[in-house]
Amino acid sequence: MVFNHRAGGLLIGLAVALSVGTAHAAATSPAAGKNAAALAAHHWDLVEWSGRDLPDGKPLRLDFDVAKGYFSTATGCNRAGGAFKIKGSALQLGAGKGRFVSTQMACPEPAMSTERAYTEALSTVTRYRITGDQLVLRTAKGGTLTYRAAHKPAADAPRKFIYVSAETKPCAGVAPMTCLQIRESESAPWALHYGGIVDFEPRPGVEYRLRIIEEKIANPPADASSIRWTLDQVVEQRVVNR
């Protein structure tokens, strides 16, 4: 397995490296068809890894982009990705012998060991199966990586920026609960946000500026919001002195 690293590149380096192969991938259409569309319809979160325990923290999330013909994944430390090819139930990740591009950030153990094992497993994937909300990848040696589908916002859903306060406040919904405080400009007063933000896990005492994806929910429950917010990017964060 070969990694192309550029120190300090981080996510920008990964995006650039992936974009280099986009034109070729689109021209050859290795990921065309409804099978690839099924892979790209969801985020996929790792829930079972044969022969290994799952790493602590957020699930390792795998994504496919049909238009660009590439995949990307969190590794527990960095992000990795590359071209993918699909034919029937056969799947290859990486441009031959698992060639991926990756960001380069050093993390304490066991994160680095987990990353190496995970990317090695992905580089040997030969087949896949989608059953219900589960995706199972099978490696050349018979190992399996099982993922569960998670909601993936539409590519054309609008994005906007918000600030999130370092403090939550009690609020009243169907039952007493705690709400985030948000605002769209630094000069605006804080307002309670009842709906939560998908994929956002705030830390107490930290204020954030986020880019979020906003989607309308068709026929929401009577006690639920008609708008879903999903984290797109943490733009800034700072510890607030109390």
Side-chain angles (χ1 to χ4, degrees), residues 150-205:
H151 174 72
K152 187 176 186 178
D156 60 353
R159 270 72 170 166
K160 71 178 185 180
F161 294 90
I162 63 168
Y163 293 88
V164 178
S165 171
E167 293 184 291
T168 57
K169 292 287 186 180
C171 54
V174 176
M177 58 184 186
T178 300
C179 287
L180 295 173
Q181 297 186 89
I182 65 98
R183 60 188 179 189
E184 295 190 20
S185 70
E186 287 189 284
S187 60
W190 292 111
L192 294 175
H193 177 64
Y194 289 80
I197 302 173
V198 179
D199 295 333
F200 176 54
E201 298 178 3
R203 291 185 291 131

Side-chain angles (χ1 to χ4, degrees), residues 35-44 63-66 152:
N35 290 350
L39 286 173
H42 308 282
H43 296 304
W44 299 101
D63 280 291
F64 294 87
D65 186 320
V66 174
K152 187 176 186 178

Side-chain angles (χ1 to χ4, degrees), residues 189-242:
W190 292 111
L192 294 175
H193 177 64
Y194 289 80
I197 302 173
V198 179
D199 295 333
F200 176 54
E201 298 178 3
R203 291 185 291 131
V206 179
E207 184 174 301
Y208 298 87
R209 187 173 186 233
L210 309 178
R211 185 173 69 195
I212 57 99
I213 303 169
E214 184 172 270
E215 299 174 283
K216 292 184 178 180
I217 301 174
N219 305 313
D223 59 346
S225 172
S226 62
I227 299 294
R228 177 193 287 116
W229 282 1
T230 301
L231 175 65
D232 189 36
Q233 182 182 346
V234 176
V235 179
E236 298 172 352
Q237 60 183 20
R238 65 184 183 91
V239 175
V240 176
N241 293 325
R242 297 189 177 184

